[in-house]
């Protein structure tokens, strides 16, 4: 929900810049405000989810390691497989 609202606000900001000729300085300040508010809300949400029990910090570390390393490992495996297929057929 936070990401959806952030995207909607950035879309509105883009429309203001394009159609109503909003100054670039005001657009930059609005963008930074939207980005900062979104990040603060995401940190608050993470705190609420993971730190409500004793070993929440461990769950947080495991969650983010899995979230960041698993897609990279899957991409690496896919690239190796595609590379082998290309070598065989060429």
């Amino acid at each position: 929900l936070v990401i959806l609202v952030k995207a909607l606000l950035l879309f509105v900001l883009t429309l203001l810049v394009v159609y109503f000729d909003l100054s670039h300085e005001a657009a930059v300040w609005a963008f930074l405000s939207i980005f900062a508010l979104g990040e603060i809300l995401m940190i608050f949400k993470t705190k609420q989810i993971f730190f409500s029990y004793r070993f929440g910090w461990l769950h947080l570390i495991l969650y983010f390691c899995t979230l960041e390393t698993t897609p990279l490992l899957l991409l690496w495996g896919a690239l190796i497989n595609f590379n082998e297929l290309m070598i065989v057929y060429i």
Side-chain angles (χ1 to χ4, degrees):
L1 184 64
V2 173
I3 294 171
L4 179 68
V5 170
K6 191 186 328 183
L8 183 66
L9 289 174
L10 289 174
F11 178 67
V12 170
L13 179 63
T14 304
L15 290 178
L16 287 173
V17 169
V18 171
Y19 289 114
F20 294 109
D21 206 21
L22 185 67
S23 69
H24 292 292
E25 183 177 332
V28 167
W29 280 107
F31 172 77
L32 291 175
S33 300
I34 292 169
F35 187 75
L37 182 65
E39 292 302 314
I40 289 170
L41 288 175
M42 290 296 279
I43 289 170
F44 179 70
K45 181 175 132 181
T46 304
K47 180 184 172 290
Q48 291 245 327
I49 292 171
F50 291 111
F51 293 108
S52 61
Y53 51 95
R54 185 173 179 185
F55 292 108
W57 57 273
L58 179 64
H59 188 207
L60 178 68
I61 291 170
L62 291 173
Y63 174 74
F64 281 121
C65 285
T66 304
L67 188 69
E68 292 182 8
T69 55
T70 303
L72 289 176
L73 291 174
L74 290 173
L75 178 64
W76 184 34
L79 288 175
I80 288 174
N81 287 335
F82 289 142
N83 188 27
E84 289 175 3
L85 285 172
M86 296 301 280
I87 290 174
V88 169
Y89 290 121
I90 292 180

